[in-house]
């Protein structure tokens, strides 16, 4: 590297390259979605915490999902909203790297939590008599801690590999937050190792968990079809279909973003797919679970009834 190399102190987030009038419209829309995300997940989290009937393994993991969704949104969206109404769209490099790291941690943790939730549904439907023994509170706590700890350790590897690179420009990121693939473009060194590790991590944290989820739900589908009672089949389908909706949205957008061949406009593709992570998925999750889960719906009704 040259001796006169300029090191990055701050970078500019270009965000959405649209007209100023459209930027204001996007600010209003994204602000509304952000508030719905926080409100919806906050209500789900509060309901689970306050209603003893929801102190079940499924709702325990659902509360982790709500925390992750609020964390996603709060990590990326406030800076995006500020940039939509501000002429100065810079972010210091250290907070940028922190934003990248947290985004990766939340993404990996959600992948693992969704796998654990699929396993919980598998045990509940395929082995109902042994459910309380297999999914004891000790097991649930260990699984949750392992999901968070493993994700943190995995993304420390990404962070170390990222920080070893010299960053000297350009000083612009064509994104609305510091997404790792966009940050790598600031490096003035070979990033092949980083990209190989990212792809390998995606295979391990996306393809592997997705296969486990599909295996779980194949077993669940077979078990559901054996249920004699129509009411029992309907209840089982209801609880599982909500989880499958979340899994499809989350894993689908992630695989397209990090593993599919690049389109002719990769930056714009990344921005759109990142919106699914930052806004749409976190907003839809509580709506899907509250509308499709009878236990959560019942708890929400009881809470509203007491307030009424």
């Amino acid at each position: 590297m040259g001796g006169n190399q300029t090191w990055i102190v701050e970078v500019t987030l270009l965000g959405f390259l649209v007209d100023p009038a459209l930027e204001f419209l996007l600010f209003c829309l994204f602000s509304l979605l952000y508030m719905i995300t926080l409100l919806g997940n906050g209500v789900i989290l509060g309901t689970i915490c306050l209603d003893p009937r929801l102190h079940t393994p499924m709702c325990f993991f659902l509360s982790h999902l709500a925390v992750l969704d609020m964390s996603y949104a709060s990590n990326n969206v406030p800076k995006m909203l500020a940039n939509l109404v501000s002429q100065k769209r810079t972010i210091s490099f250290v907070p940028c790297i922190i934003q990248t790291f947290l985004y990766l941690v939340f993404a990996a943790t959600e992948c693992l939590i969704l796998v654990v939730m699929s396993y919980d549904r598998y045990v509940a439907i395929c082995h109902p008599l042994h459910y309380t023994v297999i999914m004891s509170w000790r097991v649930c706590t260990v699984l949750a801690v392992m999901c968070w700890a493993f994700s943190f350790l995995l993304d420390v590897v990404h962070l170390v590999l990222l920080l070893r690179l010299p960053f000297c420009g350009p000083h612009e990121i064509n994104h609305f937050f510091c997404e790792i693939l966009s940050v790598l473009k600031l490096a003035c060194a070979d990033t092949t190792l980083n990209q190989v590790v990212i792809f390998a991590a995606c295979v391990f944290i996306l393809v592997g968990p997705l296969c486990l989820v599909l295996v779980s739900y194949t077993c669940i589908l077979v078990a559901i079809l054996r249920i004699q009672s129509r009411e029992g089949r309907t209840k089982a389908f209801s609880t599982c279909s909500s989880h499958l909706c979340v899994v499809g949205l989350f894993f689908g957008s992630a695989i397209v973003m990090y593993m599919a061949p690049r389109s002719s406009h990769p930056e714009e593709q990344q921005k759109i797919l990142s919106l699914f992570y930052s806004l749409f998925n976190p907003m839809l999750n509580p709506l899907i679970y509250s509308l499709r889960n009878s236990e959560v719906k019942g708890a929400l009704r009881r809470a509203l009834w007491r307030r009424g």
Side-chain angles (χ1 to χ4, degrees), residues 98-112:
I98 293 173
Q99 189 181 59
T100 302
F101 175 71
L102 291 177
Y103 171 77
L104 294 173
V105 171
F106 298 145
T109 306
E110 183 152 345
C111 288
L112 299 177

Side-chain angles (χ1 to χ4, degrees), residues 5-188:
Q5 174 177 292
T6 302
W7 294 89
I8 292 178
V9 176
E10 62 180 19
V11 294
T12 300
L13 296 171
L14 297 180
F16 301 96
L17 305 177
V18 296
D19 295 331
L22 186 55
E23 283 185 343
F24 179 73
L25 180 62
L26 290 177
F27 172 81
C28 296
L29 175 62
F30 293 156
S31 296
L32 177 62
L33 295 179
Y34 180 51
M35 288 188 289
I36 293 174
T37 298
L38 295 182
L39 180 62
N41 284 285
V43 168
I44 293 294
L45 184 61
T47 303
I48 291 173
C49 292
L50 296 175
D51 194 325
R53 301 183 199 184
L54 293 183
H55 293 174
T56 62
M58 182 187 68
C59 291
F60 172 73
F61 294 118
L62 180 56
S63 67
H64 282 267
L65 189 64
V67 170
L68 285 166
D69 287 335
M70 289 189 288
S71 301
Y72 263 133
S74 299
N75 186 49
N76 301 339
V77 176
K79 183 61 178 176
M80 178 185 71
L81 294 176
N83 288 345
L84 284 171
V85 293
S86 173
Q87 295 299 319
K88 186 181 180 182
R89 302 181 176 185
T90 59
I91 181 173
S92 298
F93 193 62
V94 172
C96 180
I97 295 297
I98 293 173
Q99 189 181 59
T100 302
F101 175 71
L102 291 177
Y103 171 77
L104 294 173
V105 171
F106 298 145
T109 306
E110 183 152 345
C111 288
L112 299 177
I113 288 291
L114 289 173
V115 173
V116 172
M117 291 175 72
S118 71
Y119 176 70
D120 171 77
R121 291 299 86 205
Y122 163 77
V123 176
I125 294 173
C126 298
H127 303 282
L129 298 179
H130 301 93
Y131 179 73
T132 55
V133 176
I134 297 174
M135 298 302 294
S136 65
W137 281 113
R138 181 179 178 180
V139 171
C140 292
T141 303
V142 169
L143 288 173
V145 171
M146 287 177 61
C147 288
W148 284 95
F150 180 80
S151 301
F152 182 84
L153 293 175
L154 177 66
D155 294 314
V156 165
V157 175
H158 290 301
L159 181 64
V160 170
L161 292 176
L162 190 64
L163 293 178
R164 75 180 177 86
L165 296 171
F167 291 93
C168 53
H171 295 258
E172 293 180 342
I173 294 178
N174 189 10
H175 214 298
F176 61 84
F177 79 105
C178 295
E179 192 272 330
I180 188 167
L181 296 179
S182 299
V183 173
L184 284 176
K185 295 177 182 178
L186 305 179
C188 45

